[in-house]
């Protein structure tokens, strides 16, 4: 089991994180709220960076635009496949659709395999050259660009998301393989359509297949036909012999051999390589998928980790282990208590909504200053409520000032309970409980769930 820090983020989260990084290359964003929210929700540094990016991305509209892109991507791919299929049918029609029903096998072979061979060569070369050298020449890049253009919203963040996604793919050494998976798949489908159309036409119509030349020797065509036919022959396709190639009179059996030779060359040199590369690209993408994450060692991310570390409070800010704690206040006698619940928010973050859902709108809130504490204690001295609910920020650390205030509150009420709001994890809640125990206030109920605070009794407002 890997640790949280080593687990890969989901690819959409990684894209959002990188997009925010690219945005901040032009200047830092106002991230005070996002920084504190991320720090309160998770304890792992990398997860905090991702959560911060989510918060900023929502504000920039990145998630909405990425969702539109993921929605439109299959439809754009389907449209691109349809165009390729139509083009394949048109190419097959040019080969077998002539009025004279005569097919020049060499010209047909070059027409059907020429562009395929060129793009395949460029893709293979691109594997060894810097990423992006031939990226814009692939059907995969065309698909990504069209998707970004179709799904791009009014905020114009599509280019930023494309840059972030291709950057992640490049870092993981997956860019040519990811684009290749799309490109090879479309080419394979195109060849399948071409072969189906050709086989249908050759099966139910009569054609004359031959070669033509003005300057080349017949022996040249014999060598070319036999060389190209060697690999298809390993799959059972016939190869015209020298007599068939040099024959000037079309013989039905020879025409069948020519047709199968042309079909075999298209299948073996066109369809099969693309199918094999689809499988290979898929396997490479699956193997390298864990590497699809930001470069956490980059200065940008290291700076963010330092900022998060600066936000982390020590376990106890000003503990005084040598001081003997006085006995816990016993609280007011029952005869002096008044039925009711008094809610106080104590030293909560400024951006925390108040009052939280489920609490009365009349709930008090103080910043922890001496005048605010004195005024609140004077109010409690007049009301003498049965129960005081003290709402504290779980991610903060209790100190001696918190202890003094809690003891003073206990002298003006029947009981005091603590609700630890926005607890990032169980560790923060346990830290408060340990502090209460060490301070001699173990009888004070503390929980990070509002319903659990009153599980040992209820109070009515």
């Amino acid at each position: 089991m890997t640790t949280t820090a080593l687990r890969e983020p989901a690819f959409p989260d990684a894209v959002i994180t990188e997009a925010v990084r690219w945005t901040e290359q032009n200047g830092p964003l106002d991230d005070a709220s996002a920084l504190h929210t991320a720090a309160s929700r998770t304890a792992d540094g990398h997860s905090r960076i991702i959560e911060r990016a989510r918060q900023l991305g929502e504000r920039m509209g990145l998630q909405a635009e990425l969702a539109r892109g993921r929605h439109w991507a299959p439809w754009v791919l389907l449209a691109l496949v349809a165009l390729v299929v139509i083009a394949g049918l048109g190419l097959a029609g040019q080969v077998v659709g002539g009025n004279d029903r005569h097919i020049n096998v060499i010209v047909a072979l070059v027409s059907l395999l020429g562009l395929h061979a060129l793009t395949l060569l460029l893709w293979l070369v691109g594997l060894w050259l810097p990423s992006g050298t031939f990226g814009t020449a692939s059907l995969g890049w065309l698909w990504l660009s069209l998707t970004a253009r179709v799904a791009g919203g009014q905020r114009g963040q599509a280019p930023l998301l494309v840059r972030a996604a291709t950057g992640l793919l490049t870092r993981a050494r997956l860019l040519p393989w990811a684009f290749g998976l799309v490109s090879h798949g479309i080419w394979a489908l195109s060849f399948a359509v071409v072969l189906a159309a050709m086989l249908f036409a050759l099966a139910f119509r009569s054609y004359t297949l031959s070669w033509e030349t003005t300057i080349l020797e017949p022996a040249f065509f014999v060598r070319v036909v036999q060389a190209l036919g060697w690999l298809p022959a390993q799959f059972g396709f016939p190869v015209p012999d020298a007599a068939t190639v040099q024959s000037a009179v079309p013989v039905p059996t020879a025409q069948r051999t020519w047709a199968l030779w042309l079909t075999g060359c298209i299948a073996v040199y066109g369809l099969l390589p693309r199918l094999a590369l689809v499988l290979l690209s898929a396997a490479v993408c699956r193997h390298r998928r864990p590497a699809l994450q930001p470069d956490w060692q980059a200065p940008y991310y290291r700076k963010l980790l330092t900022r998060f570390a600066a936000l982390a409070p020590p376990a106890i800010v000003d503990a005084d282990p040598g001081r003997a704690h006085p006995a816990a206040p016993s609280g007011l006698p029952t005869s002096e208590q008044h039925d009711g619940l008094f809610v106080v928010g104590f030293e909560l973050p400024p951006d925390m909504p108040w009052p939280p859902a489920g609490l009365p709108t009349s709930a008090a809130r103080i910043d922890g200053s001496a005048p605010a504490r004195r005024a609140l204690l004077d109010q409690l001295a007049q009301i003498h409520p049965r129960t005081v609910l003290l709402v504290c920020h779980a991610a903060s650390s209790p100190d001696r000032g918190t202890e003094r205030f809690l003891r003073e509150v206990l002298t003006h009420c029947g009981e005091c309970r603590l609700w630890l709001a926005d607890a990032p994890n169980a560790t923060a809640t346990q830290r408060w409980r340990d502090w209460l125990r060490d301070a001699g206030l173990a009888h004070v109920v503390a929980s990070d769930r509002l319903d659990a605070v009153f599980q040992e009794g209820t109070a009515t407002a």
Side-chain angles (χ1 to χ4, degrees):
M1 177 72 72
T2 58
T3 63
T4 303
L6 294 179
R7 269 190 259 125
E8 59 177 295
F11 185 60
D13 285 341
V15 172
I16 296 296
T17 304
E18 279 292 281
V20 170
R21 181 178 73 86
W22 283 113
T23 300
E24 292 193 301
Q25 295 294 319
N26 299 322
L29 299 172
D30 180 10
D31 65 344
S33 177
L35 207 67
H36 284 85
T37 300
S40 66
R41 290 186 177 180
T42 179
D44 172 56
H46 297 167
S47 299
R48 284 178 170 180
I49 291 175
I50 294 170
E51 180 60 33
R52 170 186 175 273
R54 286 199 199 106
Q55 300 293 321
L56 296 176
E58 288 286 353
R59 194 171 73 194
M60 298 165 59
L62 294 179
Q63 279 90 334
E65 190 142 340
L66 184 59
R68 284 195 300 270
R70 298 178 72 180
H71 169 76
W72 279 106
W75 295 104
V76 174
L77 181 61
L78 186 62
L80 193 59
V81 168
L83 290 175
V84 171
V85 167
I86 293 173
L89 289 173
L91 192 59
Q94 290 182 2
V95 173
V96 298
N99 293 329
D100 58 355
R101 298 191 181 181
H102 177 267
I103 300 176
N104 186 322
V105 291
I106 303 299
V107 173
L109 197 61
V110 172
S111 300
L112 294 171
L113 297 180
L115 182 60
H116 147 75
L118 178 61
T119 56
L120 182 58
L121 179 62
L122 290 177
W123 181 82
L124 291 172
V125 172
L127 292 177
W128 303 101
L129 294 181
S131 299
T133 303
F134 297 116
T136 56
S138 71
L139 292 174
W141 175 260
L142 178 62
W143 168 62
L144 183 63
S145 301
L146 289 176
T147 299
R149 184 174 295 274
V150 171
Q154 296 180 353
R155 308 196 60 169
Q157 303 289 3
L160 181 64
L161 293 172
V162 169
R163 184 179 187 182
T166 54
L168 288 168
L169 291 169
T170 299
R171 182 173 180 272
R173 296 183 295 118
L174 271 176
L175 188 63
W177 296 102
F179 285 167
L181 181 61
V182 176
S183 182
H184 299 320
I186 294 176
W187 271 107
L189 181 60
S190 174
F191 277 120
V193 171
V194 167
L195 283 171
M198 282 187 57
L199 287 174
F200 181 85
L202 292 172
F204 298 104
R205 301 182 71 178
S206 177
Y207 292 90
T208 301
L209 288 83
S210 64
W211 53 270
E212 296 176 351
T213 184
T214 301
I215 61 175
L216 297 175
E217 295 290 335
F220 170 79
F221 288 96
V222 172
R223 293 192 296 270
V224 169
V225 168
Q226 292 181 346
L228 292 175
W230 180 85
L231 189 56
Q234 311 307 310
F235 293 88
F237 290 97
V239 180
D241 56 20
T244 300
V245 175
Q246 295 179 350
S247 175
V249 179
V251 179
T253 55
Q255 293 301 301
R256 181 178 181 277
T257 302
W258 275 117
L260 292 176
W261 175 85
L262 179 61
T263 302
C265 287
I266 296 172
V268 173
Y269 296 119
L271 178 61
L272 290 184
R274 294 293 182 172
L275 286 177
L277 288 172
V278 165
L279 297 177
L280 179 60
S281 297
V284 172
C285 288
R286 183 179 181 85
H287 176 70
R288 296 182 182 175
R289 185 178 178 181
L292 282 173
Q293 53 183 314
D295 181 9
W296 300 120
Q297 299 303 316
Y300 169 83
Y301 293 117
R302 294 174 67 88
K303 181 179 178 181
L304 284 179
L305 290 174
T306 302
R307 294 179 63 194
F308 278 118
L311 292 177
I316 303 277
V317 175
D318 56 352
D320 186 6
R323 181 172 64 92
H325 296 284
S330 58
L332 291 174
T334 304
S335 59
E336 298 182 22
Q337 300 174 15
H338 295 86
D339 288 340
L341 172 67
F342 193 89
V343 182
V344 182
F346 182 69
E347 293 185 342
L348 298 175
D351 58 347
M352 180 177 176
W354 185 261
L359 295 182
T361 57
S362 59
R365 177 174 180 170
I366 63 173
D367 57 8
S369 63
R373 294 188 190 192
R374 190 70 265 160
L376 182 73
L377 291 172
D378 291 342
Q379 188 177 0
L380 287 174
Q382 296 177 6
I383 298 175
H384 285 179
R386 174 166 308 208
T387 304
V388 172
L389 176 63
L390 195 61
V391 183
C392 299
H393 189 226
S396 300
S397 293
D399 54 20
R400 283 179 292 174
T402 308
E403 179 188 345
R404 285 193 297 269
F405 178 70
L406 182 55
R407 288 179 177 275
E408 290 175 328
V409 168
L410 284 168
T411 62
H412 297 297
C413 64
E415 63 172 350
C416 181
R417 299 175 179 241
L418 265 62
W419 178 28
L420 306 174
D422 291 343
N425 47 52
T427 304
T429 304
Q430 190 59 44
R431 184 177 71 241
W432 277 81
R433 289 172 177 165
D434 293 342
W435 170 77
L436 287 170
R437 185 192 66 241
D438 296 339
L441 300 171
H443 68 287
V444 176
V445 177
S447 176
D448 54 10
R449 289 174 37 233
L450 182 58
D451 57 342
V453 173
F454 295 106
Q455 66 184 354
E456 297 180 7
T458 58
T460 58

